[in-house]
């Protein structure tokens, strides 16, 4: 009789989170310490990578302490390595920290802040 055979392309086992990169405050890879604009926050990041599976996406947010996103909640920015929030009402003297969560294709994550 007739028969058919199918095979899969295989599955890669990935048990490690992505390697964290560097998160900067500011646009275009400029790491700033001060800004005069109280209505926006900008961030760039680089050197996140995973040797077993590809990077899948990043989430970005910002807040008033390391790892906190109480100013802008985490949102998926795809594979972009920059993000901005506009229309904010930041108080003078407030220190803002940018926070990035990197996910690999296996769904594992690592986090870094500016």
């Amino acid at each position: 009789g007739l028969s058919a055979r199918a095979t899969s392309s295989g599955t890669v086992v990935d048990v490690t989170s992505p390697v964290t990169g560097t998160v900067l405050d500011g646009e275009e890879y400029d790491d700033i310490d001060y800004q005069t604009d109280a209505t926006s926050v900008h961030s760039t990041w680089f050197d996140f990578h995973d040797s077993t599976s590809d990077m899948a996406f990043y989430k970005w947010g910002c807040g008033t302490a390391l790892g906190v996103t109480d100013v802008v909640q985490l949102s998926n920015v795809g594979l972009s390595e920059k993000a901005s929030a506009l229309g904010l009402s930041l108080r003078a003297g407030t220190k803002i920290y940018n926070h990035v969560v990197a996910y690999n294709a296996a769904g594992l994550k690592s986090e870094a802040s500016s």
Side-chain angles (χ1 to χ4, degrees):
L2 299 175
S3 66
R5 183 189 312 208
T7 59
S8 77
S9 60
T11 300
V12 175
V13 176
D14 185 352
V15 297
T16 58
S17 297
V19 174
T20 57
T22 301
V23 180
L24 303 175
D25 303 310
E27 296 180 89
E28 303 305 323
Y29 301 100
D30 292 329
D31 194 25
I32 61 173
D33 293 324
Y34 299 94
Q35 69 179 41
T36 58
D37 182 358
T39 64
S40 66
V41 174
H42 306 279
S43 182
T44 54
W45 54 90
F46 59 94
D47 284 347
F48 287 82
H49 61 278
D50 193 289
S51 61
T52 307
S53 61
D54 294 330
M55 297 304 300
F57 61 94
Y58 298 102
K59 288 185 178 182
W60 169 81
C62 63
T64 55
L66 285 172
V68 174
T69 55
D70 58 346
V71 174
V72 176
Q73 296 298 309
L74 286 174
S75 63
N76 188 325
V77 296
L79 289 172
S80 177
E81 293 184 330
K82 66 169 125 178
S84 297
L86 308 174
L88 303 175
S89 295
L90 303 171
R91 285 192 0 251
T94 302
K95 188 163 188 169
I96 301 296
Y97 299 87
N98 287 288
H99 189 69
V100 174
V101 183
Y103 291 82
N104 67 14
L108 301 171
K109 66 180 182 177
S110 62
E111 303 184 36
S113 294
S114 61

